[in-house]
Amino acid sequence: MSGVRIVKLEAEQIKRINAISIEPSGNVVVVGGKCGQGKTTALDCIWMALKTKAIPGKPARDGAEAGVITLTLSNGLIVKKTIKASGAVSLTVTNADGFRAQKPQEMLDNLIGSVSLDPLAFIKMGRKEQYDELARVVGLDFTTLDAERKRVFEERTE
């Protein structure tokens, strides 16, 4: 989502949260509070809205028929994901001008593609895989640097 920011997060009936509305400002957003106040759930909501595979086994709040997450992005897109207690998921990506994405998940995957990182998958990776994944996410190619490091090492060991 290079250059695209979340300008508003709204969620209702997700996990232990009844309802939240957050409008971040600035380049750094601090998420703080006491235990059990919904910090992790707020962050989970962002990931759930953007990636279907990120939805946990029981995302809707106990007793609720469905939970709804809405992300408003700085490029004008509005991502709305409804997750029913039964597990059914509905996703729409629209904007204020009446646009509605025909393939919303594909559009989101293309939008966040190279800058997304699944933290749970990342912690299960080996060191080499983590290194490669971080290099991919931040857009660094270490091929030349690695070759130079190898050349200098070999030169030193002679």
Side-chain angles (χ1 to χ4, degrees):
M1 276 181 6
S2 181
V4 178
R5 297 174 184 251
I6 297 169
V7 294
K8 189 171 190 178
L9 162 66
E10 297 174 292
E12 296 178 11
Q13 305 300 320
I14 297 291
K15 294 172 89 178
R16 294 178 49 200
I17 288 180
N18 187 29
I20 60 170
S21 179
I22 301 171
E23 294 184 52
S25 62
N27 290 327
V28 177
V29 177
V30 176
V31 179
K34 294 179 181 178
C35 289
Q37 290 186 318
K39 300 177 300 296
T40 301
T41 299
L43 296 173
D44 287 346
C45 284
I46 295 169
W47 197 239
M48 283 190 274
L50 297 173
K51 299 291 254 179
T52 297
K53 293 178 183 175
I55 298 173
K58 191 175 179 221
R61 183 179 164 102
D62 283 340
E65 289 183 30
V68 178
I69 304 165
T70 305
L71 290 181
T72 304
L73 306 178
S74 61
N75 64 359
L77 292 178
I78 301 164
V79 178
K80 183 175 182 180
K81 186 165 276 184
T82 303
I83 308 163
K84 296 195 175 188
S86 66
V89 176
S90 167
L91 171 66
T92 60
V93 177
T94 59
N95 72 12
D97 297 329
F99 165 80
R100 183 180 176 108
Q102 296 299 312
K103 296 180 179 179
Q105 189 61 61
E106 184 177 309
M107 182 180 193
L108 291 175
D109 290 345
N110 290 332
L111 182 66
I112 65 171
S114 65
V115 297
S116 67
L117 175 82
D118 181 346
L120 295 177
F122 182 79
I123 62 172
K124 294 177 184 176
M125 292 177 182
R127 290 180 67 191
K128 172 74 169 111
E129 291 173 300
Q130 288 178 337
Y131 174 88
D132 292 342
E133 184 68 3
L134 286 175
R136 180 192 67 80
V137 169
V138 297
L140 296 176
D141 182 4
F142 293 110
T143 307
T144 305
L145 183 62
D146 288 340
E148 178 65 12
R149 183 182 305 128
K150 182 179 180 184
R151 184 191 66 75
V152 169
F153 177 80
E154 288 172 355
E155 190 176 285
R156 267 192 353 240
T157 56
E158 285 180 4

